[in-house]
Amino acid sequence: MFQSFTGSSRRPRQVNLSGRNPNPFAASSASNTALVNAQQERFLRKLERDRLNATKTIQRLWRGHSCRSKTKNEWRDIWDQIGDRGPGWSAGISAEERHEIRGPESFKLEDECLDDLRILLYFADLKVAEDMRRLDWFIRRLLKTIEASPSTFTQKRSRFLLLRLERLLLDALMLDMTPPAVSPDFTADSLSILDFLTRTIPKDTAQNASQYYRTLSRVTVRANTQPTRIQDCLLRSVLCPLEQITSETVSAYEAFATAYLSTPNLQMYLRDFDGLMAGLNYRLLAMALAGLIRNSPASRILVSDVPENEGQLWLLAYFIYSNQLIHGAETPTVHAPDPDYVAVVSTLLCSLADEISARIDVDAIPVEKGPSNTEDRQGRRTSIQKRLRMPLPNFVRYEILSLVNQRSIASLLARTDGVAAHGTQRAQSSSMNGGADARHLAGYALTLLRVFPRRGDEIRMWLYLGSTSAPTSAAEVSGMRLPAIKYFWKATQGTSIYKSIYQDQNAALRLLRPRYETTLEDTEEKDKEWGIILLFLELYTFVLKVMDDEEFLSGGAPNILGGSGFGSSWTRESALPLGEVKEMTVFLKNLAFTMYWNASEISGMSEPGSATSISSYFNTSGTPKGLTPRDEGAGSGSRNKTATGLAGVPIDHVKGIVTGLLRMVYERDSRRRFLPKDHWLMTSRFDMDGFIPDVVAEEESRHKVQEADDEDDEKNGEIEEEDNEEGALPVSEIIGTRRTQHTRNLEVLRRQQRKASRKKYLEAVTPRLEILQNMPFFIPFTTRVQIFRQFVLLDQTRRRGGHIDPDNWRLSIIQGPHRGIESRMMEHEIISRHHAKIKRDNVFEDAYDQFYELGEGLKEPIQITFVDRFDTVEAGIDGGGVTKEFLTSVTKEAFSPSNGLNLFVENDHNLLYPNPSAAEERKDLLREAAFREGSPDWNDQIRELLRRYEFLGRIIGKCLYEGILVDVVFAGFFLLKWALTGGSGVASRESGYRANLNDLRDLDEGLYQGLLQLKNYEGDVEDFSLNFTVTDTISAHHGSGGGAAPFRTITHELKPGGSNIPVTNENRLVYISYIARHRLQLQPHLQTNAFLRGLGEIIQPSWLSMFNQSELQTLVGGDSSEIDVVDLRRNTLYGGVYAVGDDQKEHPCIQLFWEVMASLSDVERRNVLKFVTSTPRAPLLGFGQLNPRFSIRDAGDDQERLPSTSTCVNLLKLPRYKSEKTMREKLLYAVNAGAGFDLS
């Protein structure tokens, strides 16, 4: 049986078309042998034919070469024989001797010269030394002819001969070494002839300008050590094609810019560099470059021999220099940059943004030469990385830095017609030009922000101070100015992107998706519109930081200023009308929602190199980091977006700007309502019925990813510790460890990649959670509170193994699986660590000592035993609410200004915030105690202070975790930091907390008013003699002599060199923003971070980010709205005699109590509530959420006895009063007298 038997006895049909026997063991037949032989013979005949054809080709080429050589030699003989060569033309005379004897005579006739030239062009070969000698002789003779008769050539046929001569001379000058047969003046003579030819045939020279200037660039580099005559001739030759006005002059300027101005160090090679730049027609240069950039990407315009990015850097520097040389002495108004200048500089800056930002602040770093095999492996990428480590040339750095000054930036809008930004009829005629201006200005400004991030606030301020001409009617005065904010806002409103997203909630995704079906021009046009929108968002975000609420709400006032001054009303005039603010928030809401809800679709398109999404515009080159576009290959350029004028802005940065601005406007609306009640909600975009379960499921996914991230962070920490243990030498310098270090680096890189991929995964699977954390105002407050409580419940279930009740949790610990004595000891330790004895007169310190080490374990149930100073256990009822009593006691003691802890201070409105000078005061104490600054003991003492802040954060977190309300009211700016530290981590600098002028009001009303007056001061603020420094006042402690505590001052610079920078009318806004940042962020940084760190250990920061500052205060202390007696009655528990019987009727005394409560004022109700629960505010979701529940039990029938309470269990012990009058009097007396457990 054959192995291939398939169950059928019928032989399958076999068809063999190969001509070969399928049986490998069969002997080849005669026919097959003949076939093979025939094929072999055919192959040999083909080889013979190919050999014969190749021989014919070689013979033909050789015959042609021989014929040409013979013909050229004949022409050489003819050229040597005709004409009067003079005595210096002997072949045996050297070039120096020939030059000394006597030069050639001039041509007598034009025909003689042209015939001589025609024959010379027949045979001239620059590789032949004698031909170079003949060319040298001819141009010397031609020079004498030109000197004798400048208008030598008039015949039409001379044009083509002269053009060929020009190309021959350019090729000769390109030679690196001049043959010794030519005279020493060959280069100078050639340049003089080129100057003559350019004037004779200017149009042809302009058409050949690329070769012309590429050659002159090579000559310029060699001319540094040449005689003065060569320098003079070179300067004339460079300028000559640019001075001839023809139809091709612009082409000449294009070639000059791309082939000559990309040459490095021209200012060093040319002795009269300023003369060269002054001789240019700047407007033609700017127009030529702008047109060139419009027609091709910036990365494709250079034709010089220098590396691409290096050539662009020098071109940019020379272009800036020429502009400043032309306009240096003019006024700022006249010096306003023209659109072509803005377009060229913005495009070049955009294409070079990464390189400039990487090299502009780099000191000279010696680049170590690695092994040659390493360089061979890395190739061009290594050379690029080395270049990025080198500093910019001084000339380039100086010129680029000159862009960042107030004069150049504030004047950007001076030539812009504000009409084009408005929607008037006159705007329609100039909308095209105005729109282009706005696009170029936006790209230019955004690129500056990207290249100079450290000076971002200054750039934004200078732009903000700029203005453009305002549209005027017959009734208006001409010369009025439109603030920059309003100019870019109107330009933003005019973009199709803004209109689409504002009108259609779903349009944003369509605009952010790749646009394969559109042309490259349409795509770039859309991308430029994004640039306008982004710049407006940047500027408006900056302005909101220094604009107070009154100015913001005055947006409906007249918005046009006369004159050019920026007096007290410039900020007010920059405020947008409130109706337009509402319109803007609709646009931002639709855009932000899409960016978070559809993050998976957008982020998937935002990888580097994706040229089909908006991200390729935000990263304009679309090139992998470290590679130039040339490295990608020419084929990738067809879809690569080189959007003119926008620096690369990552999509996460855009998301952060949009989120941050939305929050800033929302915060103002929260302080002083100016938008409709439900304006911020976007519930129509969600399925609200299943919203809470969906969010809880997403939180579960987030928790799993977070656990994986924590594991990777721990492993990375272990690797770092191992590296630190290697010793002082870098691991790469220890013999035999390079491979190990490489393996470790790869492992760290893999973990970072996994972390990034998990972040992408979270964006895809947790869109609701992302929206809640970054834009919580899209969801109703009550829904968010329910979600918060669900998150807490989920965490409790996870941590306690499903045993939520404290007693059940302790029982589960005790009854857990026992594995011996060690297991029992561990269980006992867990229970004992969560139990503490607390003295009533030392609550905070006892709590800190016994519970600080718990850390995150404070989430678990704790047991508190209150003892007196003799360690006697305090009598009382423990209904499971002692924890509440403990927490409220700790917060009352720690946050009380009179407690001596001095951890928190109050403002004028009794709002609490961390003591900004606490760290400095502790340092003063340590200095008095003779601690050495920076010593381990010193650092331990500072850390001890910060641990107390951290512990306080945990206590507040514990209250939130357990749903316990405390009577503590924090300052709004401090609560705002809670809310803005737990976002998704996307562009945290843009969407995180931003110190602003309005927040200073909660910190220091006097400072706020002073800065407000400084901002609106109409005179010269230099009269105040302020500089960029700030003085902190530190209260010192009592000295040995007692008396009042003195004060000490510390001066800090707000920016490097701030003590030497005066505050002027122009930079006062930056000064104000720096003061706000110092007071609100930098000064209390250590204390605030420690508190938030402790708070974050108990409550996930992402949970807190679901609320704004006022909502967080409600979460901590309860609802400040009117007490709902009906809801309180519905959720009250009764005990003892007051227990409700089977008839479901309340006790008559209870009925009296509720009648009295209903008759009390809201203030009196709050006092009663505080008397029982220790807080005067109701829980967020009603009294059903109060933990423990509000309870009433009888306290006898003594009519003279006062009501008393056990606040630990929210218990009111109420005597059985007979009348409503007695009930009211006794209740209010007890409440106002502060009666408590001791009076029961």
Side-chain angles (χ1 to χ4, degrees):
M1 181 69 68
F2 293 103
Q3 294 181 356
S4 60
F5 181 67
T6 60
S8 174
S9 59
R10 183 176 181 180
R11 183 182 297 274
R13 182 183 180 188
Q14 296 183 354
V15 180
N16 183 11
L17 302 179
S18 66
R20 297 179 181 178
N21 192 338
N23 185 1
F25 302 102
S28 58
S29 61
S31 60
N32 287 342
T33 303
L35 180 61
V36 171
N37 292 336
Q39 291 175 346
Q40 181 68 17
E41 292 174 1
R42 187 183 304 116
F43 178 72
L44 293 175
R45 288 195 298 273
K46 182 179 182 300
L47 284 180
E48 186 64 25
R49 285 195 302 271
D50 292 344
R51 189 179 298 110
L52 182 60
N53 291 334
T55 303
K56 292 179 181 179
T57 301
I58 293 174
Q59 291 175 348
R60 185 169 58 252
L61 290 174
W62 177 250
R63 284 195 301 271
H65 171 72
S66 299
C67 183
R68 287 192 299 272
S69 298
K70 181 179 179 181
T71 304
K72 286 185 178 182
N73 288 332
E74 292 175 355
W75 283 116
R76 288 187 179 98
D77 294 338
I78 294 173
W79 193 86
D80 291 342
Q81 294 171 5
I82 66 174
D84 181 13
R85 298 300 173 202
W89 179 246
S90 175
I93 301 178
S94 66
E96 291 78 6
E97 293 173 342
R98 187 181 303 113
H99 184 69
E100 291 176 359
I101 294 175
R102 182 169 62 86
E105 300 292 337
S106 61
F107 291 105
K108 298 177 181 179
L109 298 173
E110 179 181 354
D111 288 336
E112 179 187 1
C113 178
L114 292 177
D115 290 340
D116 216 26
L117 174 59
R118 176 174 52 82
I119 297 173
L120 177 64
L121 293 174
Y122 282 162
F123 64 80
D125 187 350
L126 300 179
K127 297 178 183 179
V128 179
E130 286 299 313
D131 285 355
M132 286 293 295
R133 184 168 67 87
R134 293 181 178 93
L135 177 62
D136 178 31
W137 185 266
F138 175 79
I139 63 175
R140 292 170 61 196
R141 191 175 182 188
L142 180 59
L143 272 178
K144 289 196 173 183
T145 305
I146 295 170
E147 291 173 0
S149 177
S151 57
T152 302
F153 300 99
T154 58
Q155 300 181 26
K156 289 185 178 180
R157 71 186 181 109
S158 65
R159 172 190 169 195
F160 303 102
L161 293 175
L162 294 179
L163 180 59
R164 291 184 61 191
L165 174 62
E166 179 182 88
R167 290 174 176 169
L168 182 64
L169 288 176
L170 292 175
D171 290 339
L173 290 173
M174 284 290 286
L175 298 176
D176 292 329
M177 295 185 63
T178 304
V182 302
S183 67
D185 292 333
F186 176 77
T187 301
D189 292 343
S190 298
L191 292 173
S192 299
I193 293 296
L194 286 177
D195 181 44
F196 166 74
L197 294 176
T198 301
R199 300 180 189 280
T200 305
I201 50 172
K203 187 173 181 179
D204 297 284
T205 302
Q207 292 174 343
N208 191 40
S210 293
Q211 181 189 6
Y212 185 92
Y213 282 110
R214 191 163 54 246
T215 302
L216 293 188
S217 172
R218 181 76 64 89
V219 174
T220 302
V221 175
R222 297 198 303 258
N224 187 30
T225 58
Q226 299 298 325
T228 304
R229 179 170 178 249
I230 292 182
Q231 287 274 343
D232 295 339
C233 293
L234 179 61
L235 182 62
R236 289 197 302 270
S237 299
V238 171
L239 289 175
C240 191
L242 309 177
E243 295 171 345
Q244 314 304 313
I245 305 302
T246 68
S247 60
E248 298 293 333
T249 303
V250 175
S251 300
Y253 269 95
E254 289 178 357
F256 168 73
T258 57
Y260 192 77
L261 283 187
S262 57
T263 307
N265 296 310
L266 284 178
Q267 79 285 357
M268 296 173 58
Y269 297 138
L270 294 176
R271 297 173 188 172
D272 191 13
F273 176 69
D274 285 351
L276 169 66
M277 299 311 248
L280 300 177
N281 186 325
Y282 166 75
R283 296 194 180 280
L284 281 178
L285 175 63
M287 182 176 66
L289 267 176
L292 196 63
I293 286 172
R294 278 194 296 269
N295 297 326
S296 61
S299 59
R300 309 293 183 188
I301 63 175
L302 298 186
V303 294
S304 63
D305 298 328
V306 298
E308 184 175 277
N309 281 9
E310 204 70 20
Q312 290 184 37
L313 283 171
W314 284 100
L315 173 59
L316 174 62
Y318 296 140
F319 185 67
I320 297 170
Y321 182 83
S322 66
N323 175 268
Q324 294 176 347
L325 189 66
I326 297 297
H327 301 98
E330 300 183 17
T331 62
T333 302
V334 179
H335 177 49
D338 54 275
D340 287 338
Y341 172 82
V342 173
V344 172
V345 174
S346 63
T347 303
L348 291 175
L349 271 179
C350 180
S351 63
L352 297 167
D354 288 333
E355 179 146 357
I356 293 175
S357 59
R359 297 175 61 187
I360 197 163
D361 292 325
V362 175
D363 296 327
I365 301 175
V367 181
E368 299 179 359
K369 184 173 179 60
S372 58
N373 57 345
T374 302
E375 292 183 359
D376 292 340
R377 284 197 307 268
Q378 293 180 346
R380 250 182 306 185
R381 186 183 297 272
T382 301
S383 64
I384 292 169
Q385 291 172 349
K386 288 183 178 180
R387 188 184 75 240
L388 291 178
R389 294 177 59 190
M390 299 300 294
L392 289 175
N394 289 334
F395 181 85
V396 175
R397 184 175 185 273
Y398 179 83
E399 295 304 323
I400 291 178
L401 287 176
S402 69
L403 297 173
V404 190
N405 62 73
Q406 181 177 358
R407 179 184 178 188
S408 63
I409 293 178
S411 61
L412 283 174
L413 292 168
R415 288 194 181 188
T416 306
D417 185 7
V419 177
H422 274 260
T424 61
Q425 253 186 349
R426 269 194 335 128
Q428 297 175 2
S429 61
S430 58
S431 60
M432 185 176 297
N433 294 333
D437 289 347
R439 289 173 174 83
H440 288 312
L441 288 174
Y444 180 72
L446 284 172
T447 306
L448 290 180
L449 289 173
R450 178 186 176 191
V451 175
F452 305 102
R454 297 180 183 177
R455 306 189 67 181
D457 283 341
E458 291 177 298
I459 295 172
R460 294 181 185 96
M461 182 195 66
W462 292 330
L463 282 169
Y464 154 75
L465 291 177
S467 61
T468 183
S469 57
T472 57
S473 62
E476 294 174 326
V477 181
S478 61
M480 293 185 176
R481 310 299 296 170
L482 181 71
I485 286 290
K486 294 190 174 180
Y487 170 77
F488 284 109
W489 166 237
K490 295 300 180 184
T492 296
Q493 288 180 303
T495 61
S496 60
I497 291 177
Y498 176 87
K499 295 175 182 176
S500 299
I501 296 177
Y502 172 72
Q503 296 170 359
D504 183 5
Q505 294 181 344
N506 300 314
L509 181 59
R510 184 174 65 253
L511 292 168
L512 292 172
R513 275 176 171 167
R515 300 181 288 277
Y516 295 104
E517 69 283 355
T518 60
T519 63
L520 184 61
E521 291 76 12
D522 292 339
T523 301
E524 291 180 350
E525 188 67 20
K526 294 293 183 185
D527 293 339
K528 292 174 187 177
E529 290 188 356
W530 280 113
I532 298 175
I533 295 170
L534 289 178
L535 180 61
F536 166 73
L537 298 181
E538 287 273 7
L539 290 181
Y540 196 59
T541 300
F542 170 78
V543 171
L544 287 186
K545 290 196 294 185
V546 295
M547 181 182 291
D548 61 86
D549 288 341
E550 284 70 21
E551 291 172 331
F552 179 83
L553 296 173
S554 68
N559 57 2
I560 301 300
L561 295 178
S564 58
F566 305 102
S568 61
S569 59
W570 189 248
T571 308
R572 184 181 298 270
E573 292 301 327
S574 297
L576 300 180
L578 296 182
E580 296 184 7
V581 173
K582 177 183 177 182
E583 178 184 321
M584 177 190 66
T585 57
V586 173
F587 164 77
L588 292 177
K589 282 166 51 184
N590 292 339
L591 177 60
F593 180 88
T594 301
M595 291 180 123
Y596 285 101
W597 187 255
N598 303 99
S600 58
E601 300 178 55
I602 299 172
S603 62
M605 298 178 277
S606 63
E607 298 300 327
S610 173
T612 55
S613 71
I614 186 174
S615 62
S616 63
Y617 171 62
F618 294 148
N619 182 14
T620 53
S621 64
T623 308
K625 189 175 181 180
L627 292 178
T628 63
R630 285 180 180 174
D631 296 327
E632 294 180 82
S636 62
S638 59
R639 293 291 300 171
N640 183 28
K641 294 183 186 178
T642 55
T644 304
L646 180 62
V649 181
I651 195 70
D652 282 352
H653 183 87
V654 179
K655 190 185 295 186
I657 291 175
V658 173
T659 305
L661 182 54
L662 263 178
R663 284 193 159 188
M664 293 178 80
V665 179
Y666 175 71
E667 289 160 19
R668 289 183 183 266
D669 188 50
S670 301
R671 286 196 299 266
R672 300 176 63 174
R673 180 75 62 183
F674 61 90
L675 291 173
K677 180 180 178 182
D678 296 332
H679 173 77
W680 295 101
L681 298 180
M682 296 193 74
T683 51
S684 60
R685 303 292 296 273
F686 302 99
D687 176 16
M688 295 306 296
D689 293 336
F691 186 78
I692 295 179
D694 291 341
V695 171
V696 173
E698 291 180 6
E699 174 63 15
E700 272 287 302
S701 300
R702 186 208 61 78
H703 178 75
K704 294 177 182 178
V705 173
Q706 184 64 45
E707 287 180 337
D709 285 344
D710 292 342
E711 290 178 3
D712 279 349
D713 290 341
E714 290 177 4
K715 291 178 181 178
N716 286 339
E718 293 173 2
I719 292 177
E720 291 176 1
E721 290 177 3
E722 292 176 5
D723 290 343
N724 294 334
E725 292 172 0
E726 294 287 348
L729 285 176
V731 177
S732 59
E733 295 182 10
I734 303 176
I735 298 176
T737 59
R738 175 168 295 188
R739 186 181 299 276
T740 303
Q741 180 64 18
H742 181 66
T743 304
R744 289 177 179 174
N745 292 339
L746 285 178
E747 182 62 25
V748 171
L749 180 61
R750 290 192 190 99
R751 292 196 182 107
Q752 291 173 347
Q753 291 173 342
R754 285 198 298 268
K755 193 170 184 177
S757 65
R758 285 194 289 265
K759 179 183 173 183
K760 295 286 186 184
Y761 169 76
L762 278 181
E763 290 179 349
V765 302
T766 61
R768 298 170 186 82
L769 204 57
E770 290 286 313
I771 289 175
L772 273 174
Q773 293 171 0
N774 293 279
M775 295 168 297
F777 38 82
F778 286 179
I779 306 299
F781 175 57
T782 54
T783 304
R784 284 180 274 136
V785 174
Q786 294 176 42
I787 292 171
F788 176 78
R789 297 315 312 172
Q790 287 293 320
F791 283 174
V792 171
L793 181 62
L794 183 66
D795 191 62
Q796 289 176 338
T797 304
R798 186 188 305 117
R799 292 182 61 87
R800 302 177 186 179
H803 303 285
I804 306 298
D805 182 76
D807 292 334
N808 291 339
W809 175 75
R810 297 186 188 98
L811 189 62
S812 68
I813 296 295
I814 296 173
Q815 296 179 348
H818 302 297
R819 295 186 179 88
I821 298 176
E822 292 184 359
S823 177
R824 291 182 179 276
M825 292 177 61
M826 188 178 298
E827 294 163 2
H828 176 73
E829 182 183 357
I830 293 174
I831 298 298
S832 62
R833 289 182 64 202
H834 289 78
H835 176 268
K837 286 185 178 181
I838 305 296
K839 294 185 179 65
R840 283 285 186 182
D841 57 353
N842 198 36
V843 175
F844 176 76
E845 289 298 332
D846 285 352
Y848 173 76
D849 292 338
Q850 299 183 59
F851 283 143
Y852 176 78
E853 296 300 330
L854 275 181
E856 191 179 0
L858 194 61
K859 289 183 177 182
E860 269 63 80
I862 57 177
Q863 278 185 313
I864 305 298
T865 301
F866 284 108
V867 298
D868 59 19
R869 59 181 179 175
F870 303 108
D871 206 31
T872 303
V873 177
E874 185 177 288
I877 299 174
D878 185 1
V882 181
T883 298
K884 174 180 178 293
E885 178 72 9
F886 162 72
L887 293 174
T888 55
S889 299
V890 171
T891 56
K892 183 178 180 180
E893 180 177 326
F895 293 109
S896 175
S898 59
N899 61 4
L901 293 174
N902 205 27
L903 297 175
F904 276 71
V905 292
E906 289 183 339
N907 63 8
D908 297 338
H909 303 288
N910 299 322
L911 303 177
L912 292 164
Y913 58 91
N915 183 2
S917 58
E920 290 296 334
E921 290 173 2
R922 177 60 61 92
K923 291 177 182 178
D924 281 351
L925 278 175
L926 296 177
R927 293 188 187 100
E928 292 177 8
F931 281 83
R932 182 170 58 85
E933 191 163 351
S935 65
D937 292 337
W938 170 287
N939 293 334
D940 286 342
Q941 290 293 325
I942 298 299
R943 280 194 288 266
E944 184 67 19
L945 171 67
L946 298 180
R947 288 192 193 102
R948 281 169 163 71
Y949 280 102
E950 186 178 354
F951 181 68
L952 266 181
R954 293 177 191 166
I955 291 296
I956 294 297
K958 178 69 171 177
C959 294
L960 292 170
Y961 197 78
E962 302 293 347
I964 296 173
L965 302 180
V966 290
D967 190 17
V968 179
V969 184
F970 294 106
F973 73 88
F974 180 54
L975 289 166
L976 202 55
K977 296 177 183 180
W978 301 16
L980 296 179
T981 55
S984 63
V986 171
S988 57
R989 185 177 178 273
E990 289 72 33
S991 59
Y993 175 72
R994 299 168 183 253
N996 62 77
L997 181 60
N998 289 282
D999 286 345
L1000 277 176
R1001 172 173 277 180
D1002 284 344
L1003 178 72
D1004 188 337
E1005 180 72 25
L1007 176 63
Y1008 167 77
Q1009 294 296 338
L1011 290 177
L1012 207 59
Q1013 292 176 11
L1014 175 67
K1015 185 183 71 169
N1016 296 327
Y1017 184 65
E1018 296 185 7
D1020 187 355
V1021 300
E1022 290 191 63
D1023 297 339
F1024 299 128
S1025 300
L1026 297 172
N1027 55 26
F1028 275 76
T1029 60
V1030 62
T1031 301
D1032 296 336
T1033 302
I1034 308 300
S1035 61
H1037 294 267
H1038 290 280
S1040 59
F1047 292 92
R1048 186 173 66 87
T1049 59
I1050 303 176
T1051 300
H1052 301 278
E1053 289 189 337
L1054 296 172
K1055 59 189 300 188
S1059 57
N1060 299 319
I1061 303 175
V1063 178
T1064 64
N1065 286 1
E1066 289 75 22
N1067 64 17
R1068 56 180 163 183
L1069 292 182
V1070 173
Y1071 172 77
I1072 291 171
S1073 66
Y1074 281 7
I1075 287 287
R1077 185 179 64 178
H1078 176 80
R1079 292 295 188 206
L1080 295 168
Q1081 286 182 272
L1082 301 183
Q1083 189 182 9
H1085 173 73
L1086 293 176
Q1087 301 88 298
T1088 302
N1089 274 14
F1091 181 90
L1092 293 178
R1093 185 167 56 250
L1095 179 62
E1097 289 179 355
I1098 308 300
I1099 302 295
Q1100 282 282 347
S1102 58
W1103 301 352
L1104 296 176
S1105 65
M1106 295 191 299
F1107 307 97
N1108 65 14
Q1109 64 269 40
S1110 59
E1111 293 168 347
L1112 281 171
Q1113 181 57 56
T1114 304
L1115 209 62
V1116 171
D1119 194 353
S1120 58
S1121 60
E1122 186 174 340
I1123 300 298
D1124 187 350
V1125 177
V1126 175
D1127 182 53
L1128 178 60
R1129 186 174 186 176
R1130 184 169 52 246
N1131 292 284
T1132 297
L1133 302 178
Y1134 305 102
V1137 177
Y1138 294 150
V1140 178
D1142 296 336
D1143 57 358
Q1144 299 299 314
K1145 291 184 178 180
E1146 294 175 340
H1147 191 277
C1149 184
I1150 294 298
Q1151 295 178 9
L1152 285 177
F1153 173 77
W1154 292 119
E1155 290 174 4
V1156 169
M1157 284 293 292
S1159 66
L1160 297 178
S1161 65
D1162 187 62
V1163 174
E1164 291 171 330
R1165 293 176 189 171
R1166 290 184 182 280
N1167 291 336
V1168 172
L1169 188 62
K1170 183 175 182 180
F1171 176 64
V1172 179
T1173 67
S1174 74
T1175 180
R1177 289 174 291 276
L1180 306 175
L1181 302 179
F1183 287 98
Q1185 300 296 315
L1186 190 62
N1187 182 28
R1189 291 286 188 93
F1190 190 92
S1191 306
I1192 305 177
R1193 67 183 296 270
D1194 70 290
D1197 58 358
D1198 185 355
Q1199 300 298 302
E1200 299 301 323
R1201 185 173 182 174
L1202 294 174
S1204 59
T1205 63
S1206 292
T1207 55
C1208 60
V1209 288
N1210 299 332
L1211 175 63
L1212 172 63
K1213 289 171 277 188
L1214 184 66
R1216 297 190 294 275
Y1217 298 116
K1218 304 296 185 182
S1219 66
E1220 180 180 341
K1221 179 181 179 182
T1222 303
M1223 172 80 73
R1224 182 186 183 93
E1225 290 176 354
K1226 296 297 182 181
L1227 181 61
L1228 292 179
Y1229 183 86
V1231 167
N1232 296 326
F1237 181 78
D1238 57 321
L1239 296 182
S1240 63

